Amino acid sequence: MEEFLKEFGDYYGYPDGPKSITEIRETEFKRLDQGVVYLDHAGSTLYSELQMENIFNDFTSSVYGNPHSQSDISSATSEIIADARRQVLEYFNASPEDYSCVFTSGATAALKIVGETFPWTQDSNFVYTMENHNSVLGIREYALGKGASACAVDIEEAANQPGQLASSGPFIKVKSRAVQTRNTSKLQNEESRGDACNLFAFPSECNFTGLRFNLDLVNLIKENNEATLEGTPFAKSKRWMVLIDAAKGCATQPPNLSEFPADFVVLSFYKLFGYPTGLGALLVRNDSSKIYLYYAAKLLKKTYFSGGTVAAAIADIDFVKRRERVEEFFEDGSASFLSIAAIRHGFRLLKSLTTSAIWMHTTSLSMYVKKKLQALRHGNGAGVCVVYGSENLNLSSHKSGPTVTFNLKRPDGSWFGYLEVEKLASLSGIQLRTGCFCNPGACAKYLDLSHSDLLSNVEAGHVCWDDNDVINGKPTGAVRVSFGYMSTFEEAKKFIDFIVSSFVSPPTKIGNGIAVNGRFAQLSSEELESKESNPGYYLKSVTIYPIKSCAGFSVNRWPLCRTGLLHDREWMIQGLTGELITQKKVPEMSLISTLIDLEEGLLVVESSRCEDKLYIKIKSSSYNPRSDEFDSHDNMYALLPLSYFSCFNWINLTTSLNFGCRLENHNEESRINRWFTSAIGRQCKLLQYSSSTSKQCLNRNKSPGLCRVLESNINFANEAQFLLISEESVADLNRRLEAKGKDSNRDLEKLNPHRFRPNLVIAGGEPYAEDKWRTLKIGDGSFTSLGGCNRCQMINISNESGQVKKSNEPLTTLASYRRVKGKILFGTLLRYEHDAKVESWIRVGEAVNPDRE
């Protein structure tokens, strides 16, 4: 802190404000004292508890009504809405004479209004900077659809050019990329463009890097567009309008519209002060000046009309008279008047601190983090962090906002995946953002991704929000931390400490376990062989989990089949909208117990939420290892492995053999689904896996079609037929948890091997010896190792005396010594080498004979 304050003490903590940062946190953000470090203020900042208290008091002491009325209450509500418009304009230093404030459902809705109502012609141009949000890029569809051209540009800025007066400001140059058009017959005639309206769009602050755009662009495009656009296909175009996406930047530096008179400005209020969500605004310039002769609001063409936007309409003839005020013209339906009434409490908060003080406070934190990240080195001297858009680390330059975007490298120069960073940060109580942040242009630009890279990534299956964070050795996105007016130095410091402890490799290697970024070494092969010379491995327990994510049951012996243990994860629970329901979403599923009686052919399910046990008849042919079909009603379900769900989803198969018992089977299905709905507290249905290969099926439009052959050997398991856990490995983990608990004066839970939901638990040998196994025999059965099991937060869910609890252990401890290239490995995945000619069983107590690498 002393080091930080020495450099940033004049900027940090609101030294001249009504409250210090310490007082703000103690009185208005007490909920953050629970250990949460929130670093995604670029996504959404946090609301103040005092702010919400004031809103609640306002709503419970006042009466608000629909403003589309003449009653006293409605008139009072209309006045509050009018006052809210004035506050928004005041925040941007915009005169009500020059601008109108149109309330929308958010910045995206405001951008959509501009796109769909702008007077596009085949001679129009939509020019936008590469660093724009997808919501701005979406305007391109309207432009291209009307025959206009669209083009992404890069902005180059230099201090001064030779011969340029110092007082004339920075030199700004626009460099165009490829021009896009869908109008192949468009004439490139300079004279024909003179009367067309053109739109130039840029963000006040890039939500990817935090770099701020020079607002001089507004005046340069409007007043001196020919020189500014020189060298581009648009240099001769006239009548330029400028759109600023201020959603990210206005929380700390709102554009001054009296100095930079953009035609359109969009914002969302939750980015400013956390609440309300679902409310934004479009500021429209509605007055002319000597240098700009056109009314932006008058040029927008709107087709639809609704309640509130018409002065008069006749139902049975084509007649409508629209309202002329800009706000009434664009605000369809009743305004969100309660949300609008709430924003004055947010503005009061910002006004008390001042945006300049907020900018200094938040940017001091981002500058500190950037400098610390750039200084990090691995033990071999290699750099740890690549920070994007960090050319200028001088806080007084005002060129950067409170955002830090980066990727991390291993000592060998390869990339850590951003999802690995996010996963470990979450375990440490740090909430941050990863990906491209809906800004594909900035992402491609700063990550140096070519069109070929981007297209090949899409062909490889990469889409937004998936798990493909590194493809062909290149990151597909980045990690972003961003600060808000209530952020603290302690949070920034905790984040830096997390990066150092989790991703920076020291010069020496010590410890036991899997090598993690050079931080932990593994036992040598010689040591491991000597310890395994007489290990005496044997099978300690066998557990079957009939229903995915529900509790399993242990047996002394059990039949093996093509899919592993007979009936293991043969059923799963699905929501009515098609989503898979697991313990990750509903931890209480761990309280549903299951049991299969092979002799009676019954699956028995029990829950404390249901008075009666559920009995489900299993076909007697289940004893046949080749038979895995589910036929309790006329709908057959054949599903691909989970890795294919995004491509094929559920395929609902219908046979022509069971129509005669539809009513009976439908009643049975309803009974089962009602039971599970009660057990987990949400509507759902039970599905059974089928590996049927040749059936007729109904397409989505209910027409008959031919199903592809579906063959899988893992039922509803995520990755493999079996998960094997070693008692000795669990014991080693428990020793580490015990030591960690003593260091932090906490009692950490001692874990049972079944916390990890294994099918097989073995005893004997040394911890983690199973990491090196290639194949193994258990009794007469042969198995192949598929590698380690990548653990997720499900192992942090415990079930104690019927109570479900969540914590960050043991995953946090495992991450400290069992992390390999983004995966936290514990346990071994196995495949059973099935011989259809032999009926095989697996038995507790059988010897386990591994074949090591």
Side-chain angles (χ1 to χ4, degrees):
M1 173 65 91
E2 183 178 351
E3 174 193 353
F4 172 77
L5 292 179
K6 185 176 181 180
E7 182 173 2
F8 299 108
D10 293 338
Y11 301 96
Y12 174 78
Y14 310 104
D16 301 320
K19 287 183 179 180
S20 69
I21 183 61
T22 302
E23 292 174 310
I24 290 172
R25 288 297 289 259
E26 289 177 349
T27 60
E28 301 186 37
F29 292 91
K30 295 186 286 291
R31 64 191 187 277
L32 295 181
D33 293 339
Q34 301 171 3
V36 175
V37 175
Y38 184 82
L39 298 178
D40 187 25
H41 295 272
S44 172
T45 197
L46 301 177
Y47 53 79
S48 156
E49 290 151 23
L50 178 61
Q51 171 194 355
M52 299 306 295
E53 181 181 336
N54 291 335
I55 292 171
F56 181 77
N57 290 336
D58 181 0
F59 286 2
T60 54
S61 61
S62 304
V63 179
Y64 293 94
N66 192 316
H68 293 167
S69 177
Q70 299 299 314
S71 69
D72 291 343
I73 289 176
S74 295
S75 298
T77 303
S78 295
E79 181 53 38
I80 287 174
I81 293 174
D83 184 63
R85 297 190 205 276
R86 289 190 290 269
Q87 284 187 295
V88 175
L89 294 178
E90 180 184 345
Y91 187 72
F92 290 89
N93 198 20
S95 167
E97 294 181 353
D98 297 331
Y99 284 89
S100 296
C101 172
V102 178
F103 285 117
T104 67
S105 64
T108 295
L111 291 164
K112 186 171 182 284
I113 288 176
V114 175
E116 67 187 4
T117 60
F118 195 83
W120 305 108
T121 71
Q122 68 172 6
D123 293 324
S124 297
N125 298 292
F126 174 46
V127 178
Y128 53 92
T129 58
M130 278 289 286
E131 299 92 335
N132 259 306
H133 195 278
N134 269 326
S135 297
V136 176
L137 299 190
I139 295 176
R140 182 176 63 189
E141 294 300 300
Y142 292 108
L144 295 176
K146 293 288 187 178
S149 297
C151 183
V153 297
D154 296 294
I155 306 298
E156 295 182 353
E157 182 176 341
N160 288 104
Q161 296 296 297
Q164 184 183 18
L165 295 176
S167 60
S168 60
F171 174 79
I172 296 177
K173 186 69 176 175
V174 176
K175 293 188 66 176
S176 65
R177 300 199 177 209
V179 177
Q180 310 155 57
T181 181
R182 293 175 187 167
N183 183 5
T184 56
S185 62
K186 183 172 181 178
L187 297 176
Q188 299 298 317
N189 185 340
E190 300 295 344
E191 287 73 27
S192 69
R193 301 182 184 180
D195 295 330
C197 292
N198 305 285
L199 184 62
F200 188 96
F202 70 97
S204 61
E205 181 182 315
C206 174
N207 78 317
F208 188 91
T209 61
L211 289 178
R212 297 187 182 277
F213 279 77
N214 193 322
L215 294 180
D216 284 330
L217 264 173
V218 175
N219 294 323
L220 289 173
I221 294 295
K222 292 162 70 71
E223 300 174 23
N224 194 20
N225 58 282
E226 189 168 347
T228 306
L229 298 173
E230 183 181 2
T232 73
F234 321 109
K236 299 297 182 181
S237 298
K238 308 296 182 183
R239 298 186 67 178
W240 282 95
M241 299 181 195
V242 178
L243 181 155
I244 297 178
D245 177 5
K248 170 63 178 71
C250 69
T252 52
Q253 282 192 329
N256 183 341
L257 296 183
S258 66
E259 186 177 354
F260 307 106
D263 301 284
F264 313 105
V265 179
V266 302
L267 68 146
S268 290
F269 291 103
Y270 72 94
K271 302 269 190 180
L272 289 174
F273 30 71
Y275 182 89
T277 58
L279 184 69
L282 167 65
L283 307 188
V284 184
R285 188 166 186 258
N286 52 26
D287 200 1
S288 63
S289 67
K290 293 180 181 179
I291 61 170
Y292 189 67
L293 302 177
Y294 303 96
Y295 291 81
K298 297 287 187 182
L299 286 168
L300 297 182
K301 306 299 182 184
K302 186 168 180 282
T303 302
Y304 178 76
F305 69 86
S306 65
T309 65
V310 296
I314 299 177
D316 56 349
I317 65 172
D318 183 12
F319 175 83
V320 60
K321 179 177 175 59
R322 299 173 185 266
R323 295 186 181 272
E324 294 186 357
R325 288 185 56 197
V326 175
E327 303 94 327
E328 296 173 332
F329 187 78
F330 285 107
E331 290 177 358
D332 291 313
S334 297
S336 183
F337 52 89
L338 290 180
S339 293
I340 294 171
I343 67 174
R344 55 181 169 169
H345 301 287
F347 277 122
R348 185 182 301 137
L349 184 154
L350 296 184
K351 193 172 183 178
S352 69
L353 294 174
T354 74
T355 53
S356 60
I358 292 172
W359 178 82
M360 289 188 291
H361 171 80
T362 55
T363 307
S364 67
L365 293 172
S366 64
M367 290 292 181
Y368 166 78
V369 169
K370 284 181 181 180
K371 290 183 177 183
K372 288 293 184 183
L373 288 177
Q374 290 185 327
L376 294 178
R377 293 290 183 272
H378 288 296
N380 63 359
V384 174
C385 188
V386 175
V387 180
Y388 303 110
S390 61
E391 292 78 8
N392 193 322
L393 293 182
N394 181 3
L395 190 142
S396 62
S397 71
H398 285 238
K399 288 186 177 181
S400 181
T403 298
V404 185
T405 303
F406 62 94
N407 273 311
L408 300 172
K409 285 190 169 185
R410 297 186 175 89
D412 62 3
S414 62
W415 297 98
F416 286 105
Y418 56 77
L419 288 177
E420 179 178 357
V421 181
E422 184 174 38
K423 182 177 182 179
L424 295 177
S426 182
L427 289 173
S428 298
I430 299 172
Q431 309 303 312
L432 43 74
R433 187 81 172 269
T434 62
C436 280
F437 327 120
C438 298
N439 196 326
C443 190
K445 181 176 180 176
Y446 288 98
L447 300 184
D448 194 27
L449 297 172
S450 66
H451 290 162
S452 176
D453 292 329
L454 296 172
L455 292 173
S456 65
N457 288 351
V458 172
E459 291 172 359
H462 174 51
V463 295
C464 296
W465 307 339
D466 68 8
D467 294 339
N468 296 311
D469 51 8
V470 178
I471 299 179
N472 296 325
K474 284 187 175 183
T476 60
V479 183
R480 185 184 74 186
V481 296
S482 49
F483 298 93
Y485 73 85
M486 76 299 295
S487 298
T488 65
F489 166 77
E490 289 77 13
E491 291 175 323
K493 179 67 164 56
K494 182 174 180 179
F495 169 72
I496 291 296
D497 290 344
F498 155 72
I499 293 294
V500 171
S501 64
S502 300
F503 299 98
V504 180
S505 297
T508 58
K509 298 181 179 181
I510 57 174
N512 183 21
I514 288 182
V516 182
N517 310 326
R519 296 178 58 79
F520 296 92
Q522 192 172 2
L523 288 174
S524 68
S525 299
E526 293 77 11
E527 291 177 299
L528 198 55
E529 284 182 12
S530 65
K531 291 178 178 291
E532 287 189 352
S533 57
N534 186 23
Y537 297 109
Y538 68 95
L539 186 60
K540 186 74 175 287
S541 72
V542 176
T543 305
I544 297 93
Y545 304 90
I547 304 174
K548 184 178 179 67
S549 267
C550 293
F553 64 97
S554 295
V555 295
N556 288 324
R557 66 189 192 108
W558 198 257
L560 297 171
C561 64
R562 179 177 56 81
T563 59
L565 291 167
L566 183 63
H567 299 308
D568 185 52
R569 285 160 293 191
E570 187 172 315
W571 290 267
M572 69 164 216
I573 301 174
Q574 183 188 40
L576 297 189
T577 57
E579 77 280 11
L580 172 63
I581 298 178
T582 68
Q583 280 190 41
K584 292 180 183 179
K585 296 180 180 179
V586 186
E588 291 75 15
M589 289 180 68
S590 64
L591 302 177
I592 299 176
S593 64
T594 59
L595 177 68
I596 288 180
D597 187 327
L598 290 178
E599 292 184 359
E600 297 293 332
L602 286 176
L603 167 62
V604 184
V605 192
E606 189 173 4
S607 169
S608 60
R609 292 183 174 181
C610 301
E611 291 185 7
D612 300 322
K613 295 181 181 180
L614 177 66
Y615 295 90
I616 302 175
K617 185 69 176 176
I618 301 175
K619 287 183 62 176
S620 59
S621 60
S622 295
Y623 277 112
N624 181 352
R626 287 184 169 181
S627 177
D628 295 288
E629 296 184 0
F630 176 62
D631 195 14
S632 70
H633 51 82
D634 62 327
N635 286 330
M636 301 286 293
Y637 291 90
L639 295 103
L640 288 170
L642 293 177
S643 59
Y644 290 90
F645 282 178
S646 60
C647 299
F648 297 103
N649 213 322
W650 310 120
I651 300 177
N652 189 359
L653 304 180
T654 304
T655 69
S656 59
L657 302 178
N658 300 317
F659 290 125
C661 55
R662 176 185 296 273
L663 181 60
E664 177 186 352
N665 290 331
H666 177 74
N667 289 339
E668 175 69 3
E669 177 187 2
S670 298
R671 179 184 72 87
I672 293 171
N673 293 339
R674 282 197 305 270
W675 192 95
F676 279 100
T677 294
S678 299
I680 70 170
R682 65 172 68 185
Q683 286 193 311
C684 61
K685 56 186 176 182
L686 183 69
L687 297 184
Q688 184 173 15
Y689 185 86
S690 171
S691 61
S692 308
T693 59
S694 178
K695 298 185 186 295
Q696 285 189 329
C697 68
L698 295 181
N699 296 322
R700 293 186 182 274
N701 60 4
K702 304 299 183 183
S703 62
L706 182 64
C707 295
R708 67 174 64 236
V709 174
L710 305 178
E711 282 288 352
S712 174
N713 295 325
I714 62 171
N715 286 350
F716 289 126
N718 287 342
E719 297 180 272
Q721 297 171 345
F722 293 87
L723 171 62
L724 179 145
I725 291 288
S726 159
E727 272 196 340
E728 280 65 32
S729 299
V730 175
D732 177 78
L733 172 59
N734 279 324
R735 286 191 291 270
R736 295 172 187 266
L737 288 170
E738 183 181 6
K740 187 175 184 178
K742 289 180 180 179
D743 291 341
S744 59
N745 295 319
R746 293 183 297 160
D747 290 328
L748 296 180
E749 177 187 3
K750 186 175 182 179
L751 303 177
N752 183 289
H754 288 91
R755 175 72 164 267
F756 302 92
R757 294 180 62 84
N759 296 109
L760 308 176
V761 177
I762 62 168
E766 290 295 316
Y768 315 110
E770 64 273 15
D771 292 341
K772 289 291 186 178
W773 295 352
R774 294 181 303 175
T775 61
L776 64 152
K777 288 185 71 69
I778 303 176
D780 296 329
S782 297
F783 300 82
T784 298
S785 172
L786 303 179
C789 178
N790 185 21
R791 309 314 307 222
C792 67
Q793 299 218 25
M794 262 186 68
I795 64 174
N796 290 342
I797 300 173
S798 64
N799 178 0
E800 299 179 4
S801 304
Q803 296 295 318
V804 176
K805 295 182 180 180
K806 284 185 177 181
S807 69
N808 63 352
E809 292 292 358
L811 198 57
T812 300
T813 297
L814 284 173
S816 69
Y817 76 106
R818 296 285 300 176
R819 199 167 95 244
V820 178
K821 294 188 176 180
K823 297 180 178 181
I824 302 172
L825 302 180
F826 193 74
T828 299
L829 300 172
L830 301 178
R831 181 182 69 236
Y832 172 54
E833 302 302 334
H834 175 60
D835 184 350
K837 299 178 181 178
V838 179
E839 181 176 322
S840 299
W841 291 66
I842 193 168
R843 296 170 175 81
V844 170
E846 288 183 322
V848 177
N849 298 298
D851 179 13
R852 292 184 62 253
E853 290 181 356

